[in-house]
């Protein structure tokens, strides 16, 4: 198997517990890109939360892609052009807000380069702000604040209290929205058909590459589809049970340079052998 495209989840995968890319991982990815491998940063994060990592990896120079919002937006790093975008139907927002209030949980979405939410002290809102290195803009009425289409909404809460929310929304929006957990405390609300595997399939079609050329690394629930789709699915040692079960191989943890270990083993060694 010759790997030509590497899709990387960010949190818990590419970045360590400090939300940083280790020197070993950066070095391995730069070597891979110099050998012609396309790096794809595939995350549930908004674009603003991914761009700094793309800059750190010099992806504008070497080429590569950002799959933001679980693939709802695909950006060519070399040209900064959006090659694909999908957004939530505007008429779903009021119902989402009603359900969130009914179950007593919180929801956020994105407006430009900011996060907007009604709940200013939710610990999971603070977590999302930390991940994306930004602050939240607190508004009184989220339904009124969303005046243009948004790529996704994120419902926040303890896993047990989000389970009935998920069930309720799946019934209300069956065949209309994609609803899934990215973390036990993050319930993602996405346009129908948007998840990492589907977006990677769109990108590979653009690149004229086959899924057999794809290695995907991930750790979370929203990585399951791409781990199964990729020619080589690599789960992190720190990954969830489901990711480890579905992956082809398991690499070291994100705090032990797991992405670098996989790149060195399945790409750089291969290139040296055939070169």
């Amino acid at each position: 198997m010759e790997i030509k495209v590497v899709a990387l989840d960010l949190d818990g995968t590419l970045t360590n517990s400090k939300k940083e890319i280790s020197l070993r991982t950066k070095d391995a990815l730069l070597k891979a890109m110099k050998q012609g491998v396309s790096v794809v940063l595939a995350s549930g994060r908004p674009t603003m939360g991914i761009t700094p990592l793309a800059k750190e990896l010099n992806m504008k120079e070497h080429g590569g892609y950002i799959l933001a919002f679980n693939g709802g937006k695909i950006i060519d790093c070399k040209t900064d052009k959006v090659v694909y975008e999908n957004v939530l139907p505007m008429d779903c927002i009021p119902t989402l807000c009603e359900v969130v209030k009914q179950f007593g949980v919180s929801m956020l979405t994105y407006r430009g380069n900011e996060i907007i939410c009604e709940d200013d002290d939710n610990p999971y809102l603070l977590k999302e702000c930390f991940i994306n290195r930004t602050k939240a803009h607190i508004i009184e009425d989220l339904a009124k604040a969303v005046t243009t289409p948004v790529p996704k909404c994120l419902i926040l809460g303890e896993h047990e209290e989000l389970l009935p929310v998920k069930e309720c929304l799946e019934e209300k929006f069956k065949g209309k929205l994609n609803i899934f957990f990215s973390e036990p405390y993050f319930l993602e609300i996405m346009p129908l058909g948007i998840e990492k595997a589907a977006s990677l399939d769109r990108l590979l079609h653009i690149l004229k590459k086959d899924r057999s050329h794809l290695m995907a690394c991930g750790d979370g629930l929203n990585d399951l589809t791409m781990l199964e789709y990729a020619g080589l699915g690599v789960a992190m040692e720190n990954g969830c049970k489901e990711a480890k079960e579905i992956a082809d191989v398991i690499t070291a943890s994100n705090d032990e340079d797991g992405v670098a270990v996989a790149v060195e083993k399945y790409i750089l060694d291969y290139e040296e052998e055939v070169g």
Side-chain angles (χ1 to χ4, degrees), residues 222-242:
N222 64 329
D223 298 320
L224 299 183
T225 60
M226 77 169 182
L227 291 177
E228 185 174 30
Y229 170 80
L232 182 63
V234 181
M236 309 300 289
E237 179 57 43
N238 55 285
C240 66
K241 179 184 69 172
E242 294 87 345

Side-chain angles (χ1 to χ4, degrees), residues 12-223:
T13 301
L14 175 63
T15 63
N16 58 26
S17 297
K18 296 179 181 179
K19 303 298 180 185
E20 298 170 344
I21 305 174
S22 73
L23 291 175
R24 180 181 173 186
T25 296
K26 189 184 303 184
D27 180 64
L29 290 171
L30 288 173
K31 285 179 179 177
M33 286 188 281
K34 287 176 182 177
Q35 293 175 353
V37 174
S38 295
V39 171
V40 181
L41 303 183
S43 175
R45 290 190 191 187
T47 309
M48 64 180 174
I50 306 175
T51 303
L53 297 176
K55 288 181 179 178
E56 189 174 346
L57 293 171
N58 297 323
M59 289 173 63
K60 187 170 184 63
E61 175 188 348
H62 297 293
Y65 293 83
I66 288 173
L67 266 66
F69 304 109
N70 289 302
K73 190 172 187 178
I74 304 177
I75 301 168
D76 183 334
C77 292
K78 185 161 279 190
T79 64
D80 293 325
K81 289 184 178 179
V82 176
V83 297
Y84 176 81
E85 187 170 19
N86 201 340
V87 293
L88 289 170
M90 283 292 290
D91 59 6
C92 78
I93 302 299
T95 303
L96 287 172
C97 291
E98 288 173 11
V99 171
V100 164
K101 286 184 171 63
Q102 175 188 338
F103 284 92
V105 292
S106 297
M107 185 170 74
L108 63 82
T109 191
Y110 309 88
R111 185 172 62 188
N113 286 326
E114 66 180 2
I115 293 171
I116 57 173
C117 185
E118 297 177 6
D119 187 357
D120 63 349
D121 61 354
N122 186 290
Y124 299 117
L125 167 64
L126 301 178
K127 192 175 187 74
E128 179 71 355
C129 289
F130 172 75
I131 288 170
N132 293 290
R133 300 291 193 269
T134 189
K135 294 181 179 180
H137 180 68
I138 306 304
I139 43 88
E140 290 186 8
D141 190 328
L142 192 63
K144 290 182 179 178
V146 179
T147 56
T148 57
V150 294
K152 79 168 186 176
C153 290
L154 192 61
I155 301 178
L156 319 168
E158 298 297 329
H159 190 64
E160 293 301 318
E161 64 182 348
L162 291 181
L163 288 172
V165 180
K166 182 175 184 287
E167 184 178 351
C168 175
L169 291 176
E170 285 176 336
E171 184 177 341
K172 287 181 178 292
F173 293 107
K174 186 176 182 180
K176 295 181 180 179
L177 297 177
N178 194 14
I179 301 165
F180 57 90
F181 286 103
S182 56
E183 298 286 352
Y185 43 80
F186 284 161
L187 182 61
E188 307 263 349
I189 312 298
M190 301 290 305
L192 188 66
I194 295 300
E195 39 82 13
K196 291 186 181 182
S199 294
L200 285 168
D201 187 67
R202 293 183 184 98
L203 179 58
L204 288 177
H205 181 74
I206 293 170
L207 297 177
K208 295 181 170 57
K209 296 284 194 306
D210 187 81
R211 60 193 282 187
S212 64
H213 298 135
L214 172 68
M215 180 173 84
C217 301
D219 73 303
L221 296 171
N222 64 329
D223 298 320

